[in-house]
């Protein structure tokens, strides 16, 4: 009969309760020991950084994300890298020359560049790596970043099968020559991206072949890299550990013994871990923590300008937004200063009246100019005096509270300042992307972070038919000017063209810029040499940790 | 009984087939695909990507290929999001953490829940009952995303006994298990109390009392068996849920479990991972429901295997 068995169950349960209680009691005896004995008490100089979502992979020709970028720049290095000041510095290439027409780059690779298995790193490694990345069968999402090389796009789309006709050649083991299809004044900037990094071809081949994604070559036991650190551990959804490389050419200048990249995709979780000393760097701070940190922990709080813009796309194919006067009126009626101060906690964002964030090289002189009176006048001119007769417009955003509060604030501004009714609509991320791409919206929230530090990365978005245009807007003048920018004889003339492009955008308003981003994060005062640049990247080899 | 089990197992085949089929087509008809992102790539690269993952084939072909791979090789396919891992690998990698978290939470839930429920029913309408019932009510009402951070605030940040998040040492198991366990404990306590109260009013209990049986004997030997019936039916699906992980707990405590994959795969339109986790969940539910049915017959002589 089951009754004695049942009693045994009850006994068992009681016993486990006691064990648990004993476990807890034992736990209680040495208080305050736990937080410092966090997963990785730094015995050596180990930097612990919060790194956002779990990386898709660590193959630079496969991945597309920002967390991946942070890890990959530690274990692989391209021809150029970040210098101690955060600018461009020689990496595997110790120097380079550019031809007068700007279409040929000759890189001289350093003799002491090595793979982590000790093999020398040669220019042929770069040629083979680029070939792999451009191979159509690999389906590399960022292959287009190499399209600036002659023939690269044709090779990637299968129109060209002979790779020797692609603009990358290795005349000898330490010389690499790029031939560009057009001038690319931002080439070096863009080469800081991992799409331009080499991979160790024999290792990739050994674990499944050149045109296979996600093979075991990126596992710690197999990985061969050439960066300042080596991949030593990868616990999915937990952390990736890299340790100082004994073969890196500049190893004498590497300060840290290792870095732990924690995959933490929740800001609150990350902040709590940082607060208890489990991290030296929290990738981001929740909005609600900005004020407390500024007030109570100013030594750890950082806000720096970030090379990105938050904006609204406008679908210019639909009434009433096909009228640029309406678009301008809506753009003018947004009180950006008030939005930043009251909604965004004034955390270093700057009001945006044009598309490209200001930088030393380029600050737009064109802006969506005018005051509220001008906005009202434009709206009346378009046939909607004080908003009368104007159909309601819908603001679409992906489901996230921070987008909602901005949309609500703007909805309110349009209502009270222009008399224009707007509704707001949120959609789950991929649905929102689909709705935006198929122009099934009226006004859609968007953000863009520069791929590299040059206005081109913002202004090329609005070219006719461009994959990222997504507004239905098109201007032959704009397209022509954009094309001419690359062949401009000098940098000042190129920047002058970008000014003209900004002027067209300010006049036509296919997008409504709202604010320029800032990066907000927390960092331990023990972290040294933490430089920042507009895209908030740095070379891990320079960072130090005070013990 | 064996016939009963065999028949039930046979019944699961069409059930799983329907679940797989429905999920397969449902995820495909949701707008947005695995390769949609804020930065658009070229149409040619997109076509290459779709070809790489076989997404360029007609949908029925993809479907039959998928079924074939599962039935013939037990292969759940390749994740489109985590390029370097197969779905089988991801499940094998993440399930243990979810099982650990779930197992510990279950122990906590049963210990706390059963104790509170039994005590409350026996000491009905005393302060003990009110105390236990309030605990249950609070446990049901306070969501895990409030309870979890609250426990972290007290025990990790202020008292410094535990890490705020992570899944490394045994001490990292305590706060998450407690958070998840308390929620289930609350439900179990209420069900136990209700079930026990019903049983304690029955004639056979009165008979036992009249015969002079001790209170302990009445509760453990006579009442508990019947009183646990509602708890048992609740535990089937609850255990399946608890073992496959909790998105919220795993996010709060940064646990590498399956619950997060379950939810995020849908957001990422990682078709194969969505299907893989759904299949796992379905199998667990079906299996645990079977166990529940068997246990119920064993506990309640009025029921038969039919």
């Amino acid at each position: 009969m089951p009754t004695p068995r049942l009693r045994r169950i009850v006994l068992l349960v009681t016993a486990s309760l006691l064990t648990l209680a004993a476990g807890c009691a034992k736990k209680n005896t040495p208080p305050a020991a736990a937080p410092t004995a966090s997963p990785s008490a730094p015995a050596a100089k180990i930097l612990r950084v919060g790194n956002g979502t779990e990386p898709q992979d660590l193959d630079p020709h496969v991945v597309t994300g920002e967390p991946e970028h942070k890890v990959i720049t530690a274990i692989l290095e391209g021809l150029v890298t970040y210098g101690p000041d955060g600018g461009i510095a020689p990496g595997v290439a110790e120097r380079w020359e550019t031809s007068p027409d700007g279409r040929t780059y000759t890189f001289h690779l350093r003799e002491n560049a090595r793979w982590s298995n000790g093999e020398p790193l040669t220019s042929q490694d770069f040629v083979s790596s680029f070939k792999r990345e451009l191979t159509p069968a690999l389906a590399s999402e960022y292959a287009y970043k190499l399209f600036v090389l002659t023939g690269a796009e044709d090779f990637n789309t299968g129109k060209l099968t002979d790779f020797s006709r692609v603009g990358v050649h290795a005349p000898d083991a330490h010389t690499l020559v790029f031939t560009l299809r057009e001038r690319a004044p931002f080439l070096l900037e863009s080469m800081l991206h991992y799409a331009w990094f080499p991979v160790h071809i024999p290792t990739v081949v050994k674990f499944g072949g050149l045109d296979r994604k996600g093979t075991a070559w990126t596992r710690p036991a197999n990985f061969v890299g050439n960066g300042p650190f080596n991949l030593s551990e990868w616990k999915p959804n937990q952390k990736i550990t890299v340790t100082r490389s004994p073969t890196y050419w500049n190893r004498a200048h590497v300060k840290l013994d290792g870095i732990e990249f924690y995959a933490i995709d929740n800001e609150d979780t990350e902040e709590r871990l940082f607060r208890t000393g489990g991290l030296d760097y929290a990738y981001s701070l929740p909005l609600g923590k900005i004020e407390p940190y500024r007030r109570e922990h100013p030594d750890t709080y950082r806000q720096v300008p970030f090379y990105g813009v938050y904006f609204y796309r406008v679908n210019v194919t639909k009434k009433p937004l096909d009228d640029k006067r309406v678009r301008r009126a809506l753009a003018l009626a947004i009180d950006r200063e008030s939005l930043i101060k009251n909604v965004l906690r004034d955390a270093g964002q700057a009001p945006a009246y044009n598309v490209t964030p200001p930088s030393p090289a380029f600050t737009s002189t064109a802006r969506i100019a005018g005051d509220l009176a001008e906005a009202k006048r434009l709206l009346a001119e378009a046939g909607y005096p004080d908003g009368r007769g104007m159909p309601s417009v819908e603001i679409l955003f992906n489901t996230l509270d921070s987008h909602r509060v901005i949309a609500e604030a703007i909805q309110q501004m349009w209502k009270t300042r222009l008399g224009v009714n707007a509704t707001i609509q949120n959609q789950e991320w991929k649905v929102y992307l689909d709705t935006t791409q198929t122009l099934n919206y009226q006004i859609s929230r968007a953000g863009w972070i520069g791929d590299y530090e040059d206005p081109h990365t913002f202004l090329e978005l609005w070219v006719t038919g461009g994959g990222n245009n997504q507004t239905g807007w098109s201007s032959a003048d704009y397209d022509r000017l954009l094309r001419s920018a690359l062949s401009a004889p000098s940098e000042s003339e190129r920047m002058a063209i970008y000014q003209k492009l900004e002027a067209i955008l300010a006049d036509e308003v296919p997008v409504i810029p709202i604010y320029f981003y800032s990066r907000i994060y927390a960092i331990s005062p023990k972290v040294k040499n933490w430089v920042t640049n507009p895209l908030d990247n740095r070379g891990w080899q320079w960072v130090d940790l005070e013990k | 009984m064996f016939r009963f089990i065999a028949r039930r197992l046979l019944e699961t085949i069409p059930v799983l087939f329907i679940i797989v089929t429905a999920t397969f087509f449902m995820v495909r008809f949701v707008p947005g695909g695995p390769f949609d992102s804020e930065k658009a790539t070229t149409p040619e690269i997109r076509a290459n990507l779709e070809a790489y993952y076989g997404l360029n084939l007609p949908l029925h072909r993809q479907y039959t290929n998928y079924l074939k791979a599962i039935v013939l090789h037990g292969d759940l396919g390749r994740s489109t999001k985590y390029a370097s891992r197969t779905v089988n690998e991801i499940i094998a990698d993440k399930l243990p953490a979810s099982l650990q978290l779930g197992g510990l939470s279950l122990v906590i839930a049963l210990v706390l829940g059963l104790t509170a429920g039994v005590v409350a029913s026996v000491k009905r309408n005393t302060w003990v009952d009110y105390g236990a019932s309030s605990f249950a009510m609070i446990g049901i009402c306070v969501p895990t995303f409030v309870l979890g951070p609250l426990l972290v605030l007290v025990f990790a940040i202020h008292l410094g006994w535990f890490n705020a998040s992570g899944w490394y040492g045994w001490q990292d198991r305590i706060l998450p298990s407690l958070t998840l366990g308390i929620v289930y404990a609350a439900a179990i306590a209420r069900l136990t109390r209700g079930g026990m109260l019903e049983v304690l009013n029955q004639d056979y209990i009165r008979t036992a009392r009249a015969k002079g049986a001790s209170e302990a004997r009445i509760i453990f030997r006579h009442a508990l068996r019947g009183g646990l019936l509602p708890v048992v039916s609740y535990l089937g699906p609850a255990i399946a849920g608890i073992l496959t992980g909790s998105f919220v707990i795993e996010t709060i405590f940064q646990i590498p479990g399956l619950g997060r994959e379950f939810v995020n795969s849908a957001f990422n339109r990682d078709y194969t991972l969505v299907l893989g986790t759904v299949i796992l969940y379905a199998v667990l539910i079906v299996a645990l429901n079977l166990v529940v049915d068997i246990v119920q017959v064993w506990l309640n002589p009025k029921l038969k295997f039919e």
Side-chain angles (χ1 to χ4, degrees):
Chain A
M1 280 309 285
T3 322
R5 251 185 279 176
L6 203 61
R7 189 178 294 164
R8 229 176 301 156
I9 293 173
V10 172
L11 266 173
L12 203 74
V13 165
T14 322
S16 36
L17 174 70
L18 286 174
T19 324
L20 199 83
C24 285
K26 217 186 288 169
K27 176 79 219 123
N28 295 357
T29 30
T36 41
S38 74
S40 50
K45 277 190 191 175
I46 307 286
L47 185 73
R48 298 159 305 165
V49 304
N51 200 45
T53 51
E54 166 71 11
Q56 298 167 274
D57 192 0
L58 294 175
D59 185 333
H61 301 160
V62 169
V63 302
T64 55
E66 184 58 26
E68 289 82 353
H69 183 85
K70 303 285 190 227
V71 182
I72 289 175
T73 49
I75 54 179
L76 288 171
E77 188 178 80
L79 294 165
V80 292
T81 183
Y82 302 101
D85 58 350
I88 299 174
V92 174
E94 56 186 348
R95 62 198 164 82
W96 51 85
E97 296 113 33
T98 319
S99 67
D101 69 354
R103 288 188 50 206
T104 307
Y105 279 71
T106 307
F107 295 92
H108 302 278
L109 276 57
R110 45 185 95 243
E111 307 255 343
N112 58 349
R114 290 267 178 285
W115 291 102
S116 57
N117 62 0
E119 286 174 23
L121 176 60
T122 65
S123 44
Q124 188 56 44
D125 286 323
F126 279 92
V127 176
S128 309
S129 296
F130 293 175
K131 181 179 177 187
R132 174 193 183 226
E133 179 161 18
L134 290 167
T135 301
L138 179 71
S140 168
E141 276 181 76
Y142 274 174
Y144 69 83
K145 292 195 184 268
L146 305 189
F147 285 180
V148 62
L149 300 171
T150 46
E153 183 165 8
D154 285 346
F155 187 80
N156 186 241
T157 51
K159 288 188 201 118
L160 175 70
T161 48
D162 178 8
F163 191 75
S164 68
R165 288 173 59 194
V166 175
V168 54
H169 295 99
D172 65 57
H174 294 101
T175 311
L176 189 67
V177 181
F178 286 3
T179 317
L180 309 187
R181 66 175 175 188
E182 59 200 349
R183 276 167 54 95
F186 37 80
L187 178 72
L188 294 176
E189 283 282 353
S190 65
M191 280 167 54
L192 290 165
H193 192 275
Y194 53 73
W196 291 89
F197 288 5
V199 294
H200 188 251
I201 295 292
T203 307
V204 180
V205 170
K206 188 173 148 197
F207 289 98
L210 291 176
D211 55 1
R212 294 265 324 274
K213 284 174 194 277
T215 64
W217 86 267
T218 52
R219 302 294 164 89
N222 312 333
F223 194 86
V224 175
N226 73 324
F229 297 89
N230 286 337
L231 179 64
S232 48
E233 190 187 31
W234 182 359
K235 289 184 170 172
N237 282 84
Q238 298 199 59
K239 65 173 174 179
I240 290 175
T241 309
V242 300
T243 44
R244 177 203 283 272
S245 164
T247 57
Y248 179 57
W249 64 269
N250 199 16
R251 56 191 172 272
H253 286 97
V254 177
K255 313 281 191 302
L256 296 168
D257 295 306
I259 309 171
E260 293 176 343
F261 295 94
Y262 286 79
I264 308 186
D265 43 19
N266 183 284
E267 288 177 335
D268 295 293
T269 304
E270 185 185 36
E271 188 276 326
R272 287 193 292 265
L273 193 59
F274 177 81
R275 203 173 352 151
T276 50
L279 288 178
D280 300 306
Y281 166 72
Y283 184 74
S284 58
L285 276 179
L287 204 55
K289 287 288 173 199
I290 291 176
E291 216 25 71
Y293 266 75
R294 268 204 291 231
R295 206 172 47 233
E296 292 155 30
H297 309 284
D299 54 331
T300 60
Y301 176 79
R302 297 283 173 88
Q303 64 180 48
V304 292
F306 193 42
Y307 203 55
V309 61
Y310 187 102
F311 63 96
Y312 279 174
R313 280 195 171 88
V314 186
N315 183 351
V316 304
T317 66
K318 287 194 178 169
K319 275 193 175 306
L321 300 170
D322 56 341
D323 187 330
K324 77 174 182 188
R325 291 169 298 192
V326 176
R327 301 197 294 268
R328 281 190 59 191
L330 293 179
L332 289 173
I334 298 173
D335 184 348
R336 292 163 177 78
E337 278 83 1
S338 153
L339 191 77
I340 289 171
K341 187 159 174 280
N342 300 313
V343 178
L344 299 169
R345 318 287 162 102
D346 209 359
Q349 305 88 348
Y353 297 93
N354 70 292
V355 170
T356 309
S359 69
F362 178 84
T363 300
S364 174
T365 49
R367 41 189 279 144
I368 299 173
D371 52 11
L372 197 55
E374 167 78 356
K376 285 182 169 163
R377 190 187 64 75
L378 284 166
L379 201 62
E381 216 179 279
Y384 311 112
D386 295 321
R388 280 196 301 277
M390 165 124 166
S392 170
V393 292
E394 185 181 84
I395 304 173
L396 171 74
F397 57 95
N398 55 301
T399 310
L400 203 68
D401 268 346
S402 51
H403 300 321
R404 171 176 297 279
V405 290
I406 291 172
E408 282 171 351
I410 289 176
Q411 179 190 35
Q412 195 59 32
M413 288 172 190
W414 286 346
K415 175 77 196 157
T416 54
R417 306 175 109 208
L418 288 182
V420 169
N421 285 314
T423 52
I424 60 175
Q425 162 81 18
N426 62 306
Q427 287 181 347
E428 182 266 345
W429 174 245
K430 294 268 184 178
V431 180
Y432 142 88
L433 287 175
D434 189 69
T435 311
T436 306
Q437 279 156 14
T438 52
L439 291 189
N440 249 323
Y441 70 94
Q442 287 189 296
I443 294 173
S444 170
R445 159 342 286 173
W448 192 264
I449 313 294
D451 285 341
Y452 42 83
E453 204 188 324
D454 193 281
H456 199 83
T457 180
F458 290 92
L459 295 170
E460 70 175 349
L461 300 178
W462 320 114
V463 69
T464 302
N468 289 307
N469 181 318
Q470 299 173 15
T471 60
W473 181 76
S474 159
S475 155
D477 273 350
Y478 191 91
D479 296 350
R480 186 180 46 75
L481 276 167
L482 183 75
R483 260 198 313 276
S484 71
L486 294 181
S487 46
S490 72
E491 278 298 272
S492 62
E493 280 160 279
R494 187 164 74 93
M495 294 302 147
I497 293 172
Y498 292 143
Q499 294 290 7
K500 285 185 196 158
L501 294 176
E502 286 277 14
I504 295 177
L505 292 177
D507 176 57
E508 290 270 330
V509 201
V511 291
I512 302 176
I514 297 171
Y515 70 89
F516 297 123
Y517 285 111
S518 64
R519 278 274 297 123
I520 299 154
Y521 56 87
I523 186 165
S524 158
K526 287 184 185 162
V527 181
K528 302 293 172 198
N529 304 346
W530 184 269
V531 295
T532 186
N533 56 24
L535 283 168
D536 192 44
N537 281 314
R538 59 201 57 78
W540 295 111
Q541 62 268 42
W542 312 111
V543 178
D544 201 356
L545 188 67
E546 197 177 79
K547 294 207 64 189
Chain B
M1 180 166 148
F2 288 108
R3 247 173 103 191
F4 169 76
I5 294 176
R7 208 188 63 216
R8 284 288 297 271
L9 286 178
L10 276 178
E11 275 171 15
T12 58
I13 295 173
V15 169
L16 288 178
F17 174 76
I18 291 169
I19 290 174
V20 171
T21 308
T23 314
F24 185 92
F25 289 102
M26 262 156 55
V27 287
R28 294 313 173 92
F29 293 139
V30 175
F35 309 116
D36 282 325
S37 73
E38 204 159 26
K39 297 198 175 185
T41 184
T42 69
E44 290 84 4
I45 290 179
R46 210 186 157 85
N48 286 346
L49 273 167
E50 285 173 356
Y52 186 91
Y53 288 102
L55 297 173
N56 55 343
L57 300 173
L59 203 54
H60 67 274
R61 280 278 307 284
Q62 293 183 39
Y63 173 67
T64 45
N65 287 351
Y66 183 76
L67 282 189
K68 257 190 241 164
I70 295 184
V71 175
L72 299 181
H73 311 287
D75 177 10
L76 294 168
R78 189 160 265 289
S79 159
T80 44
K81 166 81 180 174
Y82 300 108
S84 63
R85 283 163 214 279
T86 64
V87 174
N88 295 50
E89 260 185 294
I90 292 175
I91 291 179
D93 207 41
K94 304 289 165 64
L95 191 59
S98 289
L99 288 181
Q100 252 187 50
L101 170 66
L104 282 169
S105 311
L106 204 60
V107 171
I108 293 173
L110 285 173
V111 169
L112 289 180
L114 290 180
T115 315
V118 169
V119 170
S121 65
V122 173
K123 306 275 179 195
R124 181 155 46 133
N125 295 336
T126 64
W127 65 268
V128 184
D129 182 18
Y130 300 142
S133 300
S134 326
F135 156 76
M137 208 58 218
I138 291 169
I140 289 172
C141 295
V142 177
T144 46
F145 61 82
V146 172
L147 185 61
L150 206 66
L151 291 178
V152 171
L153 193 69
V154 174
F155 293 101
I157 294 178
H158 287 303
L159 296 175
W161 293 351
F162 303 101
N163 295 317
S165 60
W167 192 252
Y168 303 94
W170 64 269
Q171 70 271 39
D172 291 331
R173 269 66 173 170
I174 293 178
L175 290 184
S177 311
L178 208 57
T179 312
L180 190 55
I182 285 177
V183 175
Y184 283 92
I188 292 174
R190 279 183 69 83
L191 288 171
T192 310
R193 180 178 179 272
M196 287 292 285
L197 283 181
E198 203 172 298
V199 172
L200 285 172
N201 283 332
Q202 304 250 338
D203 290 344
Y204 70 92
I205 299 290
R206 207 169 302 133
T207 313
R209 282 226 171 84
K211 283 176 147 183
S214 72
E215 194 63 14
R217 189 181 165 83
I218 287 168
I219 292 161
F220 290 115
R221 180 161 179 138
H222 299 290
L224 202 54
R225 202 169 149 202
L228 283 184
L229 279 174
V231 180
V232 171
S233 13
Y234 165 79
L235 277 181
I239 292 177
I242 223 169
L243 292 186
T244 43
S246 152
F247 173 73
V248 176
I249 304 272
E250 288 174 12
T251 304
I252 294 172
F253 292 100
Q254 200 53 29
I255 298 167
L258 206 56
R260 282 204 286 173
E261 302 301 342
F262 200 5
V263 175
N264 286 332
S265 62
F267 287 135
N268 293 328
R269 304 288 190 276
D270 196 340
Y271 300 142
T272 45
L273 192 52
V274 171
L275 278 160
T277 46
V278 166
I279 291 172
L280 178 77
Y281 192 50
V283 167
L284 271 173
I285 293 230
V286 168
L288 286 163
N289 275 337
L290 179 59
V291 173
V292 165
D293 287 349
I294 294 170
V295 172
Q296 272 185 329
V297 173
W298 177 67
L299 283 175
N300 186 352
K302 283 186 216 156
L303 294 173
K304 289 224 162 57
F305 289 118
E306 188 42 57

